[in-house]
Amino acid sequence: MMKQITILLLILTLLFAGGCNQQAQPNEKKENNQENIQSSNDKTQIQGEESTKPLSNEKNKTPDLAGGKESEVREPHPLTLSDLRTKYPNIFVLSGPSHVRRVALTFDDGPDLQFTPQILDVLKKHNVKATFFIVGNRAKAHPEIVKRIVREGHAIGNHTWNHANLPKLPIESVRNQIIQTDNTLKNIIGYKPKLFRAPYGAMTEETVQMLGKMGYTAVGWTVDSLDWKGLSKEAVSDNVLSNIFPGAIILQHSAGGKGEDLSGTVKALSEIIHKLKNDRVEFYTVPDLLGIPWKRP
């Protein structure tokens, strides 16, 4: 009898314990959920606080801009020669009409006693007229060469007094460079030219505007012989002939800086003229190419 009572008490004890456990589980889950929610809120709060702080450590540093700051790169730039030609078509020209087979030979930086007379000899031999852009102090030093240029039917233009880099000068200094050359040329040949070419082809918009007010036509070029590099006859000839087109204004030099060798220009000139004439190309002075009146000898 006692054994049966003991077994019954054990069964009742197990049933009571199971019921208690089942009631406790929902409460435990609720407590666990509350702990998780609190933990999540704590993390969110911490992240929010951190997001307001500057990222100072190396790991979070923003990569720099490879090309540099906008303020350093996006600065205003001067107009290119092409831009100036588009904006001031009645003042600055790069070429003549493209519908006729005509070109203009131009020679800068003269006169001198070495290369300019040789170039004049070649032009005379082929009966070709060209345009010479004259440096004022060189004209003063060699007035007889300037007179020969004009006497043989070539046009002349102003190439400043001493071949200064104009964008580096105040505008009044640029004006003085032009006027001084004008006055020198008038004393030698009796008139002032109406063509101008900037040394190195370097001009600012302000210079172009000033030239227009002074009644000048600024002349650039479309074919560069690169003869100032001291190139060979073959290289000079190829640079010209491979880039020629109707209306082209061709840049060469009749004098150079100290020690510059322009013998390639002299030697190439006959070949350039001969080949272009064979292609039925006519040689015009710049004012004739552009239809600008000028004083002839």
Side-chain angles (χ1 to χ4, degrees):
M1 184 65 177
M2 289 298 296
K3 183 177 181 180
Q4 291 176 341
I5 293 173
T6 300
I7 292 172
L8 180 60
L9 290 174
L10 180 60
I11 291 171
L12 291 174
T13 301
L14 291 173
L15 290 173
F16 178 78
C20 291
N21 286 339
Q22 288 176 355
Q23 291 178 356
Q25 284 177 358
N27 292 333
E28 289 175 359
K29 289 181 180 179
K30 184 176 181 179
E31 289 176 0
N32 288 338
N33 287 337
Q34 290 176 345
E35 290 177 0
N36 291 336
I37 292 171
Q38 182 62 41
S39 175
S40 176
N41 290 337
D42 291 344
K43 289 180 181 179
T44 301
Q45 184 177 3
I46 292 172
Q47 289 174 355
E49 291 174 355
E50 288 179 351
S51 65
T52 63
K53 297 179 181 179
L55 302 177
S56 57
N57 59 63
E58 193 66 26
K59 181 179 179 181
N60 294 320
K61 185 177 180 182
T62 301
D64 202 357
L65 302 173
K69 300 177 183 178
E70 291 274 342
S71 60
E72 294 174 349
V73 177
R74 292 175 64 89
E75 295 180 353
H77 296 284
L79 297 178
T80 65
L81 294 181
S82 181
D83 293 334
L84 290 172
R85 168 65 182 87
T86 301
K87 189 171 183 178
Y88 301 98
N90 296 324
I91 303 173
F92 181 42
V93 296
L94 295 174
S95 62
S98 60
H99 65 278
V100 288
R101 297 176 70 80
R102 299 170 183 170
V103 299
L105 292 172
T106 68
F107 298 90
D108 287 8
D109 297 359
D112 70 359
L113 296 177
Q114 182 179 4
F115 298 110
T116 308
Q118 295 181 66
I119 288 171
L120 287 170
D121 289 344
V122 175
L123 294 173
K124 185 176 182 179
K125 176 183 176 181
H126 293 279
N127 192 28
V128 167
K129 308 307 179 186
T131 304
F132 289 79
F133 288 93
I134 304 295
V135 177
N137 61 3
R138 291 183 170 184
K140 184 177 181 179
H142 308 298
E144 69 284 357
I145 304 297
V146 178
K147 290 178 181 179
R148 180 185 171 185
I149 290 172
V150 173
R151 185 172 62 249
E152 295 183 359
H154 306 291
I156 65 169
N158 188 317
H159 200 43
T160 74
W161 176 251
N162 59 7
H163 206 272
N165 191 349
L166 300 186
K168 295 185 177 181
L169 298 180
I171 193 64
E172 281 306 313
S173 296
V174 176
R175 185 190 302 273
N176 291 336
Q177 287 263 342
I178 296 170
I179 292 174
Q180 193 172 1
T181 301
D182 271 352
N183 292 336
T184 298
L185 290 173
K186 185 176 181 179
N187 289 336
I188 297 172
I189 61 176
Y191 65 91
K192 301 176 182 179
K194 288 301 179 182
L195 301 179
F196 175 83
R197 176 174 282 167
Y200 316 106
M203 287 190 299
T204 64
E205 185 173 11
E206 188 177 19
T207 297
V208 174
Q209 292 172 342
M210 182 190 70
L211 289 168
K213 292 177 182 178
M214 295 175 73
Y216 268 98
T217 297
V219 181
W221 60 83
T222 43
V223 177
D224 190 348
S225 68
L226 300 177
D227 58 350
W228 51 270
K229 292 185 176 183
L231 301 180
S232 66
K233 166 189 171 181
E234 293 76 17
V236 172
S237 180
D238 183 64
N239 286 340
V240 173
L241 295 174
S242 62
N243 292 289
I244 208 73
F245 61 90
I249 295 177
I250 303 163
L251 172 65
Q252 294 178 272
H253 293 78
S254 65
K258 187 176 181 179
E260 286 186 351
D261 182 12
L262 294 170
S263 58
T265 293
V266 176
K267 295 175 182 177
L269 189 54
S270 285
E271 180 180 349
I272 291 170
I273 293 172
H274 178 71
K275 288 190 175 182
L276 289 179
K277 279 189 172 182
N278 283 346
D279 286 340
R280 295 176 287 106
V281 174
E282 297 179 284
F283 292 92
Y284 275 55
T285 65
V286 168
D288 287 334
L289 184 71
L290 302 176
I292 300 174
W294 62 292
K295 188 170 182 177
R296 303 172 188 274

